[in-house]
Structure formats: C-alpha cells, structure tokens
Amino acid sequence: LDVIQVQLTDLQAFDGTAFSVVTKANEVGGQEFAPLGIDPPTGSALYMGFSPPDKPATGPVFPREIRLRVFLAEAAQAGSAQGGDAAKTPPVAPVELVWEYHPATDPKRWQPLNVYLDESLGFTREGYVKLEGPKLIALSQVGKVKEERYWLRARLAGGTYPAGRVPQVDFIRFNTVPAINLATVREEQVGVSAGTPAQVFKLFRRPVVKD
C-alpha cells in the first residue's frame, strides 16, 4: 500500500444543483449519505478534499496508485456477493463514473484519472477502488469549503442508476488494506466417540479458516 500522506478533511456531494457537506457523516459512520445526491443526474459528483501539509509539498502529493474502500450499511448489502468468484468478477457498473483532479498546470480544468479497479460498481456495493495518483495537483476552492484543498472527484458522466440502486454510502476510507483476524486454538477436546459412523462434533471456537 502506498500511503496517502495528506488527510481527507472535507467531503461534498453535488447533486447537479447544489453542494451538500457530508464530512461528518463520513467520519462517524452509521449515518448513510448519498454521495451523488438522492436522484443524481449526469454531472453530479462526490468531491473529496485533502488538506495541504504544514510544509509546502515539493513533489507529488499522492502516490502513483490511490486505494480507497467504499463501505455500505449492513442493510444495503443484503443479497450481494461477499466472496468467491462472484465477488472477484463483478458485473458491469450501471453507470459511468469518471475520477478527476485539478492539474497544477491548469488549476481551473478537471483532468481524468485512470481507474484500475472499481469493486464498488459506482458506489452501489462495498469494495475497493484503485485509481491513478495525480502527478502534480493544484490547490483550489470548491463548493461550500472556503479553504483551498487538493480535490479529487467522482463524477457521473453517463448512465442512470436503476430504481432502488441510487448509492447510499456509510463511509469511505483511504489507506486501507484487507486483513484477517485469526486466533490459533490448540488441544481442544471436541467430544467422545460412541463408536458409530458419521458422528459429527462441533468445535467450540468457530468459524474455522478453510486452510
């Protein structure tokens, strides 16, 4: 993981008409928010603002690859694939999202970033998003945030979310990696055999990793 060293401090949802600050909802978790608005038209976007470091940056602010993870509320994940081949080969996203930034060479223009992976399918399910990191990004003022930030945005460039699939996000986190929490249990007594075939005993500590 290439760590993003600047802090995500501001999130704004633009619904095509107005900006809504959703920073606190994203920080706390458990307070779902619509990253693109409740009925997103083409051009709606989620803006993510990163505070500049105390000392002016002399090189690239972001690493070559940016990794973030989209988290949804448990109720929103009902029926979605959580593992196996279905999760590894997700269906096509219902919309076209483009990720953009303000280049230092032209701070008033948005320039696209390459998207290497979008397991979230346009914020419709949990998963990782991997993006190209901008080489030189400009500070700018956007929406309701008066301070200058390094802004990344995910903009709805085409398509329409089907009914019931407009994104509702619990929170978004950068600098995340997958991890498994395991404990080793030794010499557990699982039961006493009665000498008959096909007996079944349950381990006290479960579930057990397949390996």
Side-chain angles (χ1 to χ4, degrees):
L1 172 67
D2 291 326
V3 174
I4 300 172
Q5 299 185 44
V6 286
Q7 186 177 0
L8 176 66
T9 53
D10 300 276
L11 260 77
Q12 299 183 93
F14 179 68
D15 63 2
T17 303
F19 285 88
S20 299
V21 177
V22 293
T23 306
K24 290 197 177 298
N26 185 68
E27 289 175 350
V28 175
Q31 300 179 17
E32 287 184 281
F33 64 92
L36 305 173
I38 58 174
D39 187 18
T42 300
S44 57
L46 175 66
Y47 290 77
M48 288 157 280
F50 297 79
S51 292
D54 294 334
K55 295 182 179 180
T58 56
V61 176
F62 292 92
R64 287 181 296 177
E65 181 180 285
I66 297 173
R67 185 206 303 255
L68 63 95
R69 195 175 195 281
V70 177
F71 293 85
L72 306 184
E74 290 186 12
Q77 300 178 65
S80 62
Q82 299 298 312
D85 294 338
K88 294 177 183 177
T89 56
V92 177
V95 297
E96 180 188 358
L97 280 185
V98 294
W99 290 80
E100 300 169 314
Y101 74 106
H102 282 309
T105 53
D106 190 355
K108 294 184 179 180
R109 181 174 62 91
W110 289 97
Q111 182 168 310
L113 294 167
N114 291 321
V115 179
Y116 303 130
L117 174 71
D118 182 9
E119 293 178 342
S120 77
L121 299 183
F123 299 131
T124 60
R125 74 178 197 178
E126 283 205 359
Y128 283 97
V129 178
K130 295 181 182 179
L131 311 169
E132 172 192 11
K135 294 180 180 179
L136 293 174
I137 185 171
L139 286 166
S140 57
Q141 187 275 323
V142 172
K144 293 184 175 181
V145 178
K146 302 305 179 184
E147 297 80 11
E148 288 191 327
R149 298 285 186 257
Y150 295 114
W151 290 99
L152 302 178
R153 76 173 182 181
R155 178 175 59 87
L156 180 59
T160 304
Y161 286 99
R165 291 196 65 189
V166 174
Q168 289 285 336
V169 171
D170 196 0
F171 52 90
I172 297 172
R173 294 290 182 266
F174 287 82
N175 296 337
T176 61
V177 294
I180 299 175
N181 183 24
L182 298 176
T184 301
V185 178
R186 302 184 185 279
E187 300 180 3
E188 179 178 337
Q189 184 174 345
V190 296
V192 179
S193 172
T196 57
Q199 286 184 269
V200 176
F201 299 93
K202 287 187 178 181
L203 295 172
F204 179 71
R205 297 286 295 278
R206 55 186 187 272
V208 178
V209 176
K210 292 180 180 180
D211 294 340

